Amino acid sequence: MNLTANQLPLSFKPLLWSLRWEHVDPERDKADIIRAAVNEGTLDQWRWIVGRYGKTTIRAILADRLTTEFHPESLRLAELLFDLPSLRHAR
C-alpha cells in the first residue's frame, strides 16, 4: 500500500473527501477513518483498520455511532465481524 507521511494509505483519500487530506491524522481522525472504511472501503482497507486499530477499538467506536451513519449491508457485516451490539437510531 502506498503510505503518506502520516501513515494513512493513499487509498483512503477518496473515502475521506470531507477532510483536508494533508491534515488527516490516523489517531485523531480514527472515528472518521473507521466509519468511512466500513461504509465504502475495500477489503484491503478493512484489513488496514483492523491492523491499525484492532477489533476492540473499532467495536467501541462503531458502538458509539448511529445506525443512520452506515449503509445497511455495511453495518450488518460490521456487526458480524466486530460483534457489535445494536446501534442507536437517535441520540
Side-chain angles (χ1 to χ4, degrees), residues 40-61:
E40 303 289 341
T42 64
L43 184 55
D44 283 339
Q45 290 161 330
W46 279 60
R47 286 182 182 133
W48 188 88
I49 64 169
V50 170
R52 172 70 187 233
Y53 304 114
K55 287 186 175 186
T56 302
T57 298
I58 294 169
R59 183 181 307 111
I61 287 172

Side-chain angles (χ1 to χ4, degrees), residues 35-36 38-41 67-77:
R35 182 193 44 77
V38 168
N39 260 335
E40 303 289 341
T67 58
T68 56
E69 295 180 58
F70 299 95
H71 302 305
E73 62 278 2
S74 300
L75 180 58
R76 184 64 187 134
L77 182 57

Side-chain angles (χ1 to χ4, degrees), residues 10-66:
L10 284 174
S11 66
F12 279 81
K13 190 173 181 178
L15 304 182
L16 301 170
W17 57 268
S18 64
L19 303 176
R20 293 182 100 175
W21 179 251
E22 60 275 5
H23 298 291
V24 172
D25 179 273
E27 274 310 302
R28 183 193 64 226
D29 300 314
K30 66 183 161 190
D32 290 322
I33 293 166
I34 290 168
R35 182 193 44 77
V38 168
N39 260 335
E40 303 289 341
T42 64
L43 184 55
D44 283 339
Q45 290 161 330
W46 279 60
R47 286 182 182 133
W48 188 88
I49 64 169
V50 170
R52 172 70 187 233
Y53 304 114
K55 287 186 175 186
T56 302
T57 298
I58 294 169
R59 183 181 307 111
I61 287 172
L62 295 178
D64 195 40
R65 310 306 288 205
L66 300 174

